[in-house]
């Protein structure tokens, strides 16, 4: 199908990825599902599928010439322009067109997204008028944001808030304007490039994880189809026209059927239990599972939701919300449901009846069949608890998104860790200011400031007269990387407590986060009578992982030597790169027993801590590995107080609700 002057690859011709394609179709049938997030590695047809869906959807009726694509039969949702047209006693002109897909570039500015002042109108008439943004163009259509995890936080916040409210309220530059913004939000991301903040992740109704097709025959078929499409796009599309027409007809049928779908009361109980089992926060998951299950039933041509529909819906809704995987929650609840079924045979209302009963075979198919495989979920319910505990110790665990505070310093560099202001004429233009600092002219803001006064000014053969009071400069922000310096206690006190394995897991988790944020990392180890720089500051996270696995352990605990060595590395890095904000991450139990000089080990360590605290450009974090039920000395916590460091107990570090490893805040 032709879309914006080009032929797009047919949806029905995509090989594999059944779960992803079904999820896209579900949000197209029911926009109230709040969009879909597709996670997956590069080259898994994420973008291709989104564009193919837009080309597949049927035409919609709109008001001809309306910027907001108003529905001419829905007077309650008309924009101000259409309402003024009706007020004059004229009929709204109608036309049909395809559903639009609006691509949001990562560089989009807020005024281009939500709308801003119409400059030409202000210059000509001296009055403010609203100029629609991309949210207006996307009304009753699709917004596609590729690499949503790399987009500016403020843009994503605005986008998701409007998607939830289904209305765009603009209050800026003396303007006050409101218009409908009902769109299907589709985002794609590669988790290797960084995670999405939990509060933003929760705003996507559905979530699907895609993986590359592993069947060799199917991979060959993917190559053949792509080659045929590139050689003759029109011919390839025509060969799939019948399949596309059938798919379009099925979507239309589901649209008509959806309002008549019923979710029975026993299934509502099942939905709530699944949400509770997965430990999903709030009630959004419950509502979305019910809506998704209804949509699945309509997609399958039914007006009655079954237990299988609920389980399938739970995998779409709970994958990115629950702290326990949907597979585990489904297996647990399915087992209980089957037990109740056996105990209540022949009794009315004892549970789900008929085809709605989730049998063992049905549950097993969700856990081990193509659906769960494509979503990256594994059936771990049969694994011994001990095996899972050991697995947690030797593998990195998921850390919470590190949300740094706004940086008040002006920095250079590049990366993804800290959001900082910059005086360079590069970076994201976030707003304008009256302050004159680097002659980085904010042309748009300057024109907007001058526009309303043009009718009163003498232009003298110029298009617009600008006074010094109108001039605005750009305020730019950019992301910069950082130096994360890991200081690891490899002494015998750690080994005796069998905590080194756990400490390695924590560091591996932080190394993954460092890679995603493009940070430099360094590794200092202390044991015996000295501290060693195992890894000078580098971008090679793989090298850091290798050295960590080969880390020698045992011996005395020269805590002060480790702190001093970390301080020296951080100071050297600052001299080379002044805009860095090094963060020293100290993982220790604080039981130092070796001095570098004549002072007692603890006193010497606290003295070095004071030296680090005096360097305001260096931030520090202490992760206390001291075992919770052993004799506690609390040295690490005292040292954190002296150093001004963020302090974490390792047991809290791994807790579901308290995993917040490092606050990378540079004030």
């Amino acid at each position: 199908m032709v879309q914006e002057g080009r032929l797009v690859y047919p949806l029905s011709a995509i090989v594999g990825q059944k779960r992803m394609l079904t999820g896209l179709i579900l949000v197209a049938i029911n926009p109230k599902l709040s969009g879909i997030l597709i996670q997956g590695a590069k080259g898994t047809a994420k973008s291709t599928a989104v564009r193919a869906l837009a080309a597949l959807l049927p035409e919609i009726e709109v008001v001809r010439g309306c910027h907001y694509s108003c529905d001419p039969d829905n007077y309650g949702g008309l924009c101000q322009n259409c309402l003024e047209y009706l007020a004059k006693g004229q009929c709204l002109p109608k036309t049909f067109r395809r559903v639009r897909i609006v691509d949001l570039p990562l560089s989009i500015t807020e005024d281009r997204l939500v709308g801003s002042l119409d400059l030409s109108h202000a210059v000509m008439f001296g009055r403010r008028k609203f100029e629609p943004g991309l949210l207006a163009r996307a009304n009753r259509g699709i917004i596609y944001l590729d690499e949503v995890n790399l987009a500016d936080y403020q843009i994503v916040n605005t986008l998701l808030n409007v998607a939830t409210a289904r209305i765009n309220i603009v209050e800026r530059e003396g303007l006050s304007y409101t218009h409908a913004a009902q769109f299907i939000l589709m985002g794609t991301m590669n988790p290797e490039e960084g995670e999405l903040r939990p509060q933003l992740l929760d705003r996507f109704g559905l979530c699907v994880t895609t993986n590359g097709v592993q069947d060799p025959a199917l991979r060959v078929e993917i190559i053949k189809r792509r080659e045929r499409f590139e050689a003759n796009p029109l011919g390839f599309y025509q060969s799939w026209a019948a399949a596309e027409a059938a798919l379009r007809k099925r979507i239309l049928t589901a649209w008509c059927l959806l309002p008549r779908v019923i979710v029975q009361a026993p299934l509502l109980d099942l939905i709530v239990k699944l949400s509770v089992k997965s430990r999903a926060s709030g009630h959004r998951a419950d509502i979305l599972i019910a809506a998704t299950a209804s949509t699945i039933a309509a997609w399958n041509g039914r007006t009655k939701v079954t237990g299988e529909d609920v389980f399938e819906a739970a995998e779409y809704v709970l994958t990115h919300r629950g702290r326990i995987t949907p597979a585990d929650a489904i297996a647990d609840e399915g087992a209980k449901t089957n037990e109740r079924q056996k105990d209540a045979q022949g009794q009315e209302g004892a549970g789900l009846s008929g085809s709605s009963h989730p049998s063992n075979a049905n549950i097993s198919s969700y856990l081990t069949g193509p659906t769960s495989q494509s979503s990256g979920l594994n059936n771990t319910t049969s694994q011994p608890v001990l095996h899972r505990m050991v697995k947690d110790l030797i593998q990195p665990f998921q850390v919470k998104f590190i949300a740094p505070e706004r940086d008040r310093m002006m920095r250079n560099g590049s990366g993804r860790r800290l959001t900082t202001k910059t005086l360079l004429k590069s970076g994201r233009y976030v707003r304008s200011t009256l302050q004159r600092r680097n002659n980085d002219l904010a042309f748009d803001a300057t024109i907007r400031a001058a526009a309303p006064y043009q009718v009163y000014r003498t232009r003298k053969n110029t298009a617009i007269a600008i006074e010094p009071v109108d001039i605005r400069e750009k305020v730019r922000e950019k992301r910069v990387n950082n130096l994360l310096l890991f200081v690891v206690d490899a002494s015998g006190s750690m080994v005796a407590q069998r905590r080194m394995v756990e400490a390695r897991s924590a560091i591996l988790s932080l190394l993954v986060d460092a890679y995603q944020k493009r940070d430099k990392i360094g590794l200092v180890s202390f044991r015996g009578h000295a501290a060693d720089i195992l890894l000078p500051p580098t971008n090679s996270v793989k090298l850091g992982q290798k050295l960590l696995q080969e880390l020698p352990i045992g011996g005395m605990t020269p805590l002060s030597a480790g702190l001093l060595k970390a301080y020296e590395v951080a100071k050297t890095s600052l001299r080379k790169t002044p805009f860095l904000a090094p963060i020293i991450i100290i993982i220790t139990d604080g039981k130092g027993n070796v001095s570098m000089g004549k002072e007692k080990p603890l006193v010497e360590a606290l003295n070095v801590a004071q030296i680090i605290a005096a360097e305001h450009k260096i931030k520090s974090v202490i992760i206390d590995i001291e075992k919770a039920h052993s004799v506690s000395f609390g040295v690490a916590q005292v040292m954190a107080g002296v150093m001004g460091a963020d302090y974490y107990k390792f047991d809290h570090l791994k807790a579901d609700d308290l995993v917040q490893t490092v606050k990378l805040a540079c004030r």
Side-chain angles (χ1 to χ4, degrees):
M1 178 64 65
V2 177
Q3 186 184 98
E4 296 183 354
R6 62 177 178 176
L7 276 169
V8 298
Y9 195 88
L11 189 74
S12 53
I14 295 176
V15 177
Q17 309 299 353
K18 180 180 178 181
R19 185 168 174 75
M20 175 183 69
L21 300 180
T22 302
L24 287 170
I25 290 171
L26 292 178
V27 296
I29 294 171
N30 187 358
K32 293 182 180 179
L33 296 182
S34 302
I36 183 170
L37 175 66
I38 305 173
Q39 302 182 90
K42 300 177 290 291
T44 51
K46 301 187 297 293
S47 301
T48 301
V50 171
R51 293 186 173 91
L53 177 68
L56 183 69
L57 296 179
E59 293 184 337
I60 58 173
E61 190 176 28
V62 300
V63 176
R64 187 188 300 118
C66 178
H67 292 293
Y68 309 94
S69 303
C70 289
D71 183 351
D73 297 324
N74 180 18
Y75 286 4
L78 294 179
C79 67
Q80 295 181 17
N81 296 335
C82 290
L83 289 174
E84 291 174 2
Y85 203 83
L86 282 177
K88 297 176 182 177
Q90 299 175 325
C91 295
L92 294 175
K94 303 178 181 180
T95 187
F96 285 87
R97 65 158 176 79
R98 291 282 175 192
V99 172
R100 285 177 181 155
I101 177 169
V102 177
D103 281 296
L104 292 189
L106 293 179
S107 59
I108 189 172
T109 56
E110 187 175 0
D111 61 323
R112 184 72 185 100
L113 178 68
V114 302
S116 61
L117 178 71
D118 187 329
L119 292 178
S120 60
H121 186 86
V123 170
M124 292 178 63
F125 303 105
R127 294 192 300 270
R128 293 180 174 87
K129 180 183 176 182
F130 180 69
E131 181 179 13
L134 289 184
L135 287 178
R137 178 175 173 77
N139 187 35
R140 302 180 67 203
I142 295 173
I143 285 185
Y144 173 50
L145 183 55
D146 193 16
E147 302 293 353
V148 61
N149 52 327
L150 303 183
D152 181 76
Y153 297 157
Q154 185 59 40
I155 292 296
V156 177
N157 274 331
T158 301
L159 188 61
L160 291 173
N161 287 335
V162 174
T164 302
R166 302 172 70 81
I167 198 168
N168 181 30
I169 302 174
V170 182
E171 297 285 348
R172 56 184 300 158
E173 297 160 346
L175 289 168
S176 179
Y177 198 87
T178 301
H179 68 81
Q182 302 179 21
F183 52 85
I184 302 169
L185 180 60
M186 297 183 179
T188 57
M189 60 176 280
N190 181 358
E192 293 179 357
E193 297 297 327
E195 298 295 332
L196 197 63
R197 285 185 295 169
Q199 60 268 41
L200 300 182
L201 194 62
D202 183 62
R203 304 299 280 275
F204 284 95
L206 310 186
C207 181
V208 176
T209 300
T210 63
N211 298 305
V213 176
Q214 299 302 316
D215 188 334
L218 292 180
R219 292 175 76 100
V220 171
E221 182 62 22
I222 291 173
I223 297 172
K224 290 180 177 178
R225 291 188 185 183
R226 193 68 200 183
E227 287 178 345
R228 290 200 299 268
F229 175 74
E230 292 177 352
N232 184 6
L234 182 58
F236 183 83
Y237 190 87
Q238 289 174 345
S239 66
W240 287 91
E244 292 285 280
L247 199 53
R248 186 180 295 111
K249 182 178 179 181
R250 187 177 174 186
I251 291 174
L252 275 171
T253 302
W255 267 354
C256 299
L257 205 58
L258 181 60
R260 295 187 287 155
V261 175
I262 299 173
V263 183
Q264 295 178 325
L267 288 175
L268 294 177
D269 293 337
L270 176 62
I271 289 170
V272 171
K273 288 175 182 177
L274 287 173
S275 294
V276 172
K277 287 288 182 185
S278 68
R279 300 183 188 175
S281 301
H283 305 285
R284 184 176 284 133
D286 303 349
I287 297 170
L288 284 170
I289 292 175
T292 305
S294 299
T295 311
I296 291 172
W299 171 240
N300 291 309
R302 291 181 275 104
T303 58
K304 189 176 180 181
V305 175
T306 66
E308 284 80 4
D309 295 335
V310 171
F311 287 133
E312 185 176 354
E315 295 226 9
Y316 283 111
V317 175
L318 297 178
T319 295
H320 58 307
R321 287 187 174 85
R323 298 187 181 96
I324 295 177
T325 64
D328 287 343
I330 289 171
D332 185 63
E333 188 55 37
K336 290 183 179 180
T337 303
N338 288 329
E339 287 297 324
R340 287 195 297 268
Q341 180 185 11
K342 291 177 182 178
D343 296 338
Q345 282 181 350
Q347 296 183 16
E348 233 179 64
L352 306 177
S353 61
S355 61
S356 297
H357 268 298
S359 65
N360 284 327
N362 288 333
I363 294 170
S364 177
S365 69
Y366 279 96
L367 300 178
T368 61
T371 300
S372 62
Q373 184 179 5
S374 64
S375 64
L377 301 174
N378 297 314
N379 184 5
T380 58
T381 55
S382 62
Q383 294 176 321
V385 175
L386 180 60
H387 176 72
R388 275 191 277 177
M389 290 175 64
V390 173
K391 184 179 179 182
D392 286 342
L393 291 180
I394 63 176
Q395 291 186 356
F397 51 84
Q398 183 65 41
V399 297
K400 269 190 180 179
F401 182 87
I402 298 172
E405 297 178 11
R406 289 287 178 181
D407 191 355
R408 298 179 184 178
M409 295 182 65
M410 296 288 182
R411 303 181 190 274
N412 301 328
S414 62
R416 296 178 185 168
R417 174 68 62 182
L418 297 174
T419 300
T420 180
K421 294 178 181 178
T422 178
L423 290 176
L424 297 177
K425 295 184 179 181
S426 63
R428 182 178 178 79
Y429 168 31
V430 292
R431 59 185 177 84
S432 60
T433 179
L434 282 166
Q435 294 181 1
R436 305 289 300 276
R437 295 176 294 183
N438 62 345
N439 292 323
D440 190 5
L441 179 65
F443 184 75
D444 57 335
T446 301
I447 297 298
R448 283 196 295 267
Y453 306 101
Q454 295 307 298
V455 293
Y456 311 111
R457 293 178 180 175
T458 303
R459 290 187 233 177
K460 296 181 180 179
N461 299 322
T462 59
I464 184 168
I466 297 178
E467 301 290 344
V469 71
D470 303 324
I471 295 177
R472 305 290 190 272
E473 283 194 1
K474 293 179 179 178
V475 176
R476 295 183 183 269
E477 287 184 351
K478 63 185 307 183
R479 295 289 188 89
V480 296
N481 62 5
N482 217 334
L483 169 61
L484 303 185
L485 187 58
F486 296 95
V487 184
V488 183
D489 184 346
S491 64
S493 62
M494 295 279 286
V495 179
Q497 297 181 29
R498 302 178 64 86
R499 302 289 266 178
M500 180 53 72
V501 175
E502 295 174 314
R504 283 174 172 168
S505 295
I507 300 173
L508 285 173
S509 303
L510 295 174
L511 284 175
V512 171
D513 184 72
Y515 163 74
Q516 293 174 349
K517 303 300 186 300
R518 301 298 186 263
D519 290 323
K520 286 186 176 181
I521 63 165
L523 185 59
V524 173
S525 169
F526 59 93
R527 59 186 287 269
H529 290 82
D532 298 310
I533 303 174
L534 298 184
L535 181 66
T538 178
N539 290 322
S540 177
V541 175
K542 288 186 178 180
L543 182 57
Q545 292 174 330
K546 180 181 178 182
L547 290 172
L548 191 64
Q549 296 292 349
E550 300 172 354
L551 180 68
I553 56 178
M556 306 291 280
T557 310
L559 178 58
S560 56
L563 295 178
L564 186 60
K565 183 67 69 174
Y567 174 74
E568 291 172 353
V569 173
K571 285 290 289 184
T572 301
S573 298
L574 277 173
R575 284 193 289 269
K576 292 179 179 178
T577 316
F579 59 79
L580 277 180
I583 299 178
I584 301 176
I585 303 170
I586 306 161
I587 301 177
T588 182
D589 57 9
K591 298 177 181 178
N593 52 23
V594 175
S595 299
M596 297 180 292
K598 297 181 180 180
E599 292 281 0
K600 292 182 178 180
L602 176 57
V603 175
E604 190 175 75
L606 294 178
N607 288 338
V608 178
Q610 288 180 335
I611 294 173
I612 296 175
E615 179 54 69
H616 299 296
K617 289 186 177 181
I618 299 176
K619 299 295 181 180
S620 51
V621 175
I622 292 182
I623 299 175
D624 190 353
I625 306 293
E626 190 173 37
K627 198 170 183 178
H629 301 295
S630 66
V631 178
S632 177
F633 296 95
V635 178
Q637 188 169 7
V638 173
M639 187 168 62
V642 173
M643 194 182 300
D646 293 324
Y647 173 80
Y648 299 93
K649 290 288 290 183
F650 183 79
D651 295 316
H652 292 171
L653 183 71
K654 296 202 71 175
D656 288 338
D657 296 327
L658 299 176
V659 182
Q660 188 174 357
T661 48
V662 187
K663 294 180 179 179
L664 305 184
C666 295
R667 300 183 179 181

